[in-house]
Amino acid sequence: LKNFLIYKKEMTETTTYHTSSTIHKQILCPLCSSKETSLFHISTEKKAGREFHHCINCDLMFVPNQFHLDNIAQKNRYLEHNNDPYDQDYRDFILRLLDHLKPYLNPKALGLDYGAGPGPALATMMREDGYDIQLYDPFFYPDKSVLYKKYDFITCTETMEHMSEPICDLITLDQILKPSGWIGIMTGMLESWDDFHNWYYYRDPTHIRFYSKTTMRWIGERFSWQIVYPRQNVVLFQKRA
Protein backbone atom coordinates (compact mmCIF):
# COMPACT_ATOMS: atom_id res chain seq x y z
CA LEU A 1 0.00 0.00 0.00
CA LYS A 2 2.89 2.36 0.79
CA ASN A 3 4.42 1.83 -2.66
CA PHE A 4 1.03 2.37 -4.28
CA LEU A 5 0.56 5.73 -2.54
CA ILE A 6 4.06 6.87 -3.49
CA TYR A 7 3.46 6.14 -7.16
CA LYS A 8 -0.03 7.66 -6.97
CA LYS A 9 1.49 10.90 -5.70
CA GLU A 10 4.34 10.92 -8.23
CA MET A 11 2.07 10.48 -11.21
CA THR A 12 0.11 13.61 -10.37
CA GLU A 13 3.24 15.75 -10.43
CA THR A 14 4.75 17.68 -13.31
CA THR A 15 7.91 19.73 -13.60
CA THR A 16 7.83 23.17 -15.22
CA TYR A 17 10.96 24.54 -16.85
CA HIS A 18 11.81 27.56 -18.99
CA THR A 19 13.71 27.95 -22.25
CA SER A 20 13.96 31.60 -23.37
CA SER A 21 10.39 32.97 -23.40
CA THR A 22 8.61 29.61 -23.71
CA ILE A 23 7.24 27.71 -20.74
CA HIS A 24 7.25 23.90 -21.06
CA LYS A 25 5.76 21.34 -18.74
CA GLN A 26 7.45 17.97 -18.32
CA ILE A 27 4.99 15.13 -17.84
CA LEU A 28 6.13 12.25 -15.66
CA CYS A 29 5.88 8.82 -17.21
CA PRO A 30 2.84 6.99 -15.74
CA LEU A 31 4.78 3.73 -15.71
CA CYS A 32 8.29 4.48 -14.45
CA SER A 33 7.83 8.09 -13.17
CA SER A 34 10.78 9.29 -15.25
CA LYS A 35 11.01 12.96 -16.21
CA GLU A 36 12.70 11.97 -19.47
CA THR A 37 9.56 12.27 -21.59
CA SER A 38 8.85 14.28 -24.70
CA LEU A 39 6.03 15.02 -27.09
CA PHE A 40 6.09 12.45 -29.90
CA HIS A 41 2.89 12.89 -31.91
CA ILE A 42 -0.23 15.06 -32.04
CA SER A 43 -3.39 13.53 -33.42
CA THR A 44 -5.76 15.98 -35.12
CA GLU A 45 -8.48 13.49 -36.00
CA LYS A 46 -12.08 14.57 -35.53
CA LYS A 47 -13.21 14.09 -31.93
CA ALA A 48 -9.85 12.48 -31.10
CA GLY A 49 -7.30 15.29 -31.01
CA ARG A 50 -4.72 14.09 -28.50
CA GLU A 51 -1.04 14.32 -27.61
CA PHE A 52 1.18 11.27 -27.39
CA HIS A 53 4.33 11.44 -25.30
CA HIS A 54 7.27 9.05 -25.23
CA CYS A 55 9.37 7.98 -22.25
CA ILE A 56 13.06 7.49 -22.96
CA ASN A 57 13.60 5.46 -19.78
CA CYS A 58 11.01 2.65 -20.22
CA ASP A 59 9.92 3.29 -23.85
CA LEU A 60 6.25 3.73 -22.95
CA MET A 61 4.12 5.83 -25.30
CA PHE A 62 1.32 7.55 -23.42
CA VAL A 63 -1.53 10.04 -23.65
CA PRO A 64 -1.47 12.73 -20.92
CA ASN A 65 -4.35 12.69 -18.47
CA GLN A 66 -6.06 15.80 -19.80
CA PHE A 67 -6.89 13.91 -23.01
CA HIS A 68 -8.53 10.93 -21.30
CA LEU A 69 -12.25 10.23 -21.64
CA ASP A 70 -14.36 10.48 -18.52
CA ASN A 71 -15.71 7.28 -16.97
CA ILE A 72 -19.12 7.51 -18.64
CA ALA A 73 -17.63 7.98 -22.11
CA GLN A 74 -15.17 5.15 -21.48
CA LYS A 75 -17.89 2.72 -20.46
CA ASN A 76 -20.06 3.65 -23.43
CA ARG A 77 -17.11 3.01 -25.74
CA TYR A 78 -16.46 -0.41 -24.21
CA LEU A 79 -20.10 -1.35 -24.70
CA GLU A 80 -19.64 -0.78 -28.43
CA HIS A 81 -17.07 -3.60 -28.63
CA ASN A 82 -18.05 -7.08 -29.75
CA ASN A 83 -17.32 -9.11 -26.61
CA ASP A 84 -19.79 -11.93 -27.22
CA PRO A 85 -18.31 -15.00 -25.44
CA TYR A 86 -19.83 -17.25 -28.10
CA ASP A 87 -18.71 -15.33 -31.18
CA GLN A 88 -16.20 -17.63 -32.90
CA ASP A 89 -14.06 -14.85 -34.33
CA TYR A 90 -13.70 -13.30 -30.88
CA ARG A 91 -12.92 -16.68 -29.33
CA ASP A 92 -10.21 -17.23 -31.95
CA PHE A 93 -8.79 -13.84 -31.00
CA ILE A 94 -8.67 -14.80 -27.30
CA LEU A 95 -6.96 -18.08 -28.19
CA ARG A 96 -3.93 -16.09 -29.34
CA LEU A 97 -3.19 -15.76 -25.62
CA LEU A 98 -4.75 -18.88 -24.15
CA ASP A 99 -3.05 -21.32 -26.52
CA HIS A 100 0.29 -20.15 -25.15
CA LEU A 101 -0.68 -19.63 -21.50
CA LYS A 102 -2.53 -22.88 -20.75
CA PRO A 103 0.47 -25.22 -21.23
CA TYR A 104 2.07 -23.57 -18.19
CA LEU A 105 -0.99 -24.01 -15.94
CA ASN A 106 -2.05 -26.76 -13.59
CA PRO A 107 -5.57 -28.00 -14.49
CA LYS A 108 -6.77 -26.95 -11.02
CA ALA A 109 -5.18 -23.50 -11.18
CA LEU A 110 -7.12 -20.53 -9.81
CA GLY A 111 -7.09 -17.47 -12.06
CA LEU A 112 -8.25 -13.88 -12.34
CA ASP A 113 -9.34 -12.15 -15.54
CA TYR A 114 -8.20 -8.58 -14.80
CA GLY A 115 -10.09 -6.16 -17.02
CA ALA A 116 -12.71 -8.68 -18.07
CA GLY A 117 -14.92 -6.23 -19.96
CA PRO A 118 -18.70 -6.50 -20.45
CA GLY A 119 -18.55 -9.92 -22.13
CA PRO A 120 -16.05 -12.12 -20.27
CA ALA A 121 -15.19 -14.43 -23.16
CA LEU A 122 -11.83 -15.48 -21.77
CA ALA A 123 -13.31 -16.54 -18.43
CA THR A 124 -16.08 -18.44 -20.23
CA MET A 125 -13.53 -20.33 -22.32
CA MET A 126 -11.31 -21.11 -19.33
CA ARG A 127 -14.25 -22.41 -17.33
CA GLU A 128 -15.22 -24.64 -20.24
CA ASP A 129 -11.75 -26.16 -19.87
CA GLY A 130 -12.25 -26.73 -16.14
CA TYR A 131 -10.36 -23.77 -14.70
CA ASP A 132 -11.64 -21.75 -11.75
CA ILE A 133 -11.40 -18.08 -12.70
CA GLN A 134 -12.62 -14.88 -11.06
CA LEU A 135 -13.47 -11.58 -12.75
CA TYR A 136 -12.44 -8.00 -12.11
CA ASP A 137 -13.23 -4.93 -14.15
CA PRO A 138 -13.62 -1.40 -12.74
CA PHE A 139 -16.70 -0.80 -14.90
CA PHE A 140 -18.41 -4.18 -15.27
CA TYR A 141 -17.16 -6.38 -12.40
CA PRO A 142 -16.06 -3.85 -9.77
CA ASP A 143 -16.09 -6.18 -6.74
CA LYS A 144 -12.66 -5.46 -5.24
CA SER A 145 -12.85 -8.39 -2.84
CA VAL A 146 -11.31 -10.53 -5.60
CA LEU A 147 -8.19 -8.38 -5.32
CA TYR A 148 -7.54 -9.72 -1.81
CA LYS A 149 -7.09 -13.32 -2.95
CA LYS A 150 -4.01 -15.07 -4.35
CA TYR A 151 -3.97 -16.50 -7.86
CA ASP A 152 -1.99 -19.04 -9.86
CA PHE A 153 -2.49 -17.02 -13.04
CA ILE A 154 -3.83 -13.63 -14.12
CA THR A 155 -4.93 -12.61 -17.61
CA CYS A 156 -5.06 -9.12 -19.12
CA THR A 157 -6.42 -9.25 -22.64
CA GLU A 158 -6.70 -5.88 -24.37
CA THR A 159 -6.51 -4.22 -20.94
CA MET A 160 -3.03 -2.75 -20.51
CA GLU A 161 -3.66 -0.05 -23.11
CA HIS A 162 -6.57 1.30 -21.02
CA MET A 163 -4.70 1.63 -17.70
CA SER A 164 -4.40 5.25 -16.59
CA GLU A 165 -1.91 4.30 -13.85
CA PRO A 166 -0.28 1.09 -15.09
CA ILE A 167 2.37 0.91 -12.38
CA CYS A 168 -0.37 0.81 -9.72
CA ASP A 169 -2.18 -1.99 -11.56
CA LEU A 170 1.06 -3.94 -11.94
CA ILE A 171 1.88 -3.57 -8.26
CA THR A 172 -1.57 -4.98 -7.49
CA LEU A 173 -1.04 -7.90 -9.87
CA ASP A 174 2.33 -8.68 -8.32
CA GLN A 175 0.83 -8.67 -4.84
CA ILE A 176 -2.01 -11.08 -5.69
CA LEU A 177 0.00 -13.45 -7.89
CA LYS A 178 1.35 -16.55 -6.17
CA PRO A 179 5.06 -17.39 -6.41
CA SER A 180 5.76 -19.16 -9.74
CA GLY A 181 2.42 -17.83 -11.02
CA TRP A 182 1.86 -16.56 -14.55
CA ILE A 183 0.51 -13.32 -16.01
CA GLY A 184 -0.75 -13.45 -19.60
CA ILE A 185 -0.97 -10.13 -21.44
CA MET A 186 -2.30 -9.33 -24.89
CA THR A 187 -2.02 -5.78 -26.18
CA GLY A 188 -1.05 -4.14 -29.44
CA MET A 189 2.70 -3.56 -29.81
CA LEU A 190 4.88 -2.16 -32.56
CA GLU A 191 8.38 -3.24 -33.48
CA SER A 192 9.32 0.42 -33.95
CA TRP A 193 7.72 3.69 -32.88
CA ASP A 194 8.58 4.99 -36.34
CA ASP A 195 5.39 3.25 -37.46
CA PHE A 196 3.24 4.87 -34.78
CA HIS A 197 1.83 7.66 -36.95
CA ASN A 198 0.11 5.17 -39.27
CA TRP A 199 -0.96 2.72 -36.57
CA TYR A 200 -4.71 2.07 -36.27
CA TYR A 201 -4.39 1.09 -32.61
CA TYR A 202 -3.82 4.56 -31.20
CA ARG A 203 -7.01 5.90 -32.81
CA ASP A 204 -9.28 4.27 -30.22
CA PRO A 205 -9.91 7.11 -27.70
CA THR A 206 -9.80 4.66 -24.79
CA HIS A 207 -6.28 3.51 -25.72
CA ILE A 208 -3.97 5.71 -23.66
CA ARG A 209 -0.86 3.57 -22.94
CA PHE A 210 1.23 1.80 -25.57
CA TYR A 211 4.00 -0.71 -24.91
CA SER A 212 6.96 -2.12 -26.77
CA LYS A 213 9.12 -5.15 -26.04
CA THR A 214 11.53 -2.73 -24.40
CA THR A 215 8.71 -1.55 -22.12
CA MET A 216 7.81 -5.13 -21.28
CA ARG A 217 11.45 -5.88 -20.43
CA TRP A 218 11.43 -2.86 -18.10
CA ILE A 219 8.33 -4.26 -16.39
CA GLY A 220 9.93 -7.69 -16.07
CA GLU A 221 13.05 -6.20 -14.50
CA ARG A 222 11.03 -3.93 -12.19
CA PHE A 223 9.14 -6.89 -10.71
CA SER A 224 11.78 -9.60 -11.22
CA TRP A 225 9.44 -11.49 -13.53
CA GLN A 226 10.68 -13.89 -16.18
CA ILE A 227 9.41 -12.89 -19.62
CA VAL A 228 8.33 -14.92 -22.66
CA TYR A 229 7.22 -13.59 -26.05
CA PRO A 230 5.30 -16.51 -27.62
CA ARG A 231 3.86 -14.51 -30.52
CA GLN A 232 3.16 -10.97 -31.70
CA ASN A 233 1.19 -8.84 -29.19
CA VAL A 234 1.33 -11.55 -26.50
CA VAL A 235 3.57 -11.47 -23.44
CA LEU A 236 3.83 -13.98 -20.60
CA PHE A 237 5.40 -13.13 -17.25
CA GLN A 238 6.29 -15.63 -14.54
CA LYS A 239 6.81 -14.57 -10.95
CA ARG A 240 9.80 -15.95 -9.09
CA ALA A 241 9.21 -18.97 -6.87
Side-chain angles (χ1 to χ4, degrees), residues 101 154 156 173-174 177 181-185 225 235-238:
L101 176 63
I154 301 169
C156 291
L173 299 187
D174 185 59
L177 186 66
W182 288 87
I183 298 176
I185 291 172
W225 295 340
V235 182
L236 304 179
F237 289 113
Q238 185 181 31

Side-chain angles (χ1 to χ4, degrees), residues 82-113:
N82 177 20
N83 294 318
D84 182 356
Y86 302 102
D87 180 270
Q88 190 57 51
D89 288 340
Y90 189 53
R91 291 169 74 94
D92 290 343
F93 177 70
I94 296 298
L95 285 174
R96 296 178 188 179
L97 171 63
L98 294 188
D99 282 347
H100 297 284
L101 176 63
K102 287 194 293 185
Y104 294 105
L105 305 181
N106 184 297
K108 295 184 180 180
L110 173 63
L112 174 68
D113 188 8

Side-chain angles (χ1 to χ4, degrees), residues 141-204:
Y141 297 92
D143 180 6
K144 291 187 177 181
S145 67
V146 300
L147 302 181
Y148 292 89
K149 301 178 182 179
K150 297 287 186 178
Y151 297 94
D152 301 298
F153 69 95
I154 301 169
T155 58
C156 291
T157 54
E158 294 295 302
T159 299
M160 293 277 289
E161 63 275 12
H162 302 287
M163 293 177 176
S164 62
E165 297 176 348
I167 190 63
C168 298
D169 290 282
L170 291 167
I171 289 171
T172 296
L173 299 187
D174 185 59
Q175 290 173 341
I176 64 178
L177 186 66
K178 294 179 182 178
S180 299
W182 288 87
I183 298 176
I185 291 172
M186 185 160 62
T187 186
M189 292 190 289
L190 289 174
E191 291 296 326
S192 170
W193 292 128
D194 292 340
D195 300 321
F196 185 84
H197 307 78
N198 298 317
W199 195 24
Y200 77 94
Y201 204 66
Y202 82 77
R203 293 183 173 89
D204 186 320

